[in-house]
Amino acid sequence: QVPLVESGGDLVQPGGSLRLSCAASGSIFDGYLISWYRQAPEKQRELVAEISSGGGIINYADSVKGRFTISRDNAKKTVYLQMNSLKPEDTAVYYCNALINVDGQYSAFLPWGQGTQVTVSS
């Protein structure tokens, strides 16, 4: 069973909005930094946004600042990614993962799920 399950992807027109969800199916959630990543065809997976366990620390990739908002509901064990003003270059499979600190650097450590496809096209 995959610890985190992504959903909410869809086909949307440029300028549109989507909200992605990352739901924990097991015990891995509380106390962990959770991040959203994306991978476009023939490109490496890249970090999009991350949120600390309490929600007080949030970081975004420069390419999505001002357009995407990450949030979490610890009671529901879910992290959300609200995506506004979507662009064709946002087209990718979006994944979430939990991070741990290894030798001073945070790295994703859970098995990757199937992700959720976001396609921005007219």
Side-chain angles (χ1 to χ4, degrees):
Q1 188 178 18
V2 179
L4 297 176
V5 179
E6 305 92 347
S7 63
D10 205 345
L11 170 63
V12 62
Q13 292 187 341
S17 298
L18 281 175
R19 189 177 81 156
L20 306 184
S21 297
C22 168
S25 60
S27 60
I28 301 294
F29 189 84
D30 295 340
Y32 286 93
L33 187 153
I34 304 291
S35 295
W36 280 99
Y37 296 80
R38 67 185 180 187
Q39 187 167 19
E42 300 182 1
K43 290 189 176 180
Q44 287 190 332
R45 188 173 288 153
E46 63 173 349
L47 179 67
V48 174
E50 57 189 13
I51 185 167
S52 61
S53 58
I57 299 175
I58 290 174
N59 294 301
Y60 297 99
D62 287 342
S63 58
V64 306
K65 279 181 183 176
R67 300 188 298 122
F68 290 11
T69 302
I70 189 171
S71 62
R72 67 190 291 162
D73 184 335
N74 287 339
K76 294 182 178 180
K77 295 192 173 183
T78 301
V79 171
Y80 303 99
L81 186 68
Q82 178 66 43
M83 306 187 296
N84 298 329
S85 303
L86 283 162
K87 304 175 181 179
E89 50 263 44
D90 294 318
T91 296
V93 179
Y94 284 70
Y95 303 87
C96 59
N97 210 313
L99 306 187
I100 57 171
N101 191 320
V102 179
D103 294 332
Q105 194 163 16
Y106 280 93
S107 300
F109 74 98
L110 296 174
W112 293 99
Q114 291 189 332
T116 187
Q117 175 71 49
V118 173
T119 303
V120 185
S121 175
S122 55

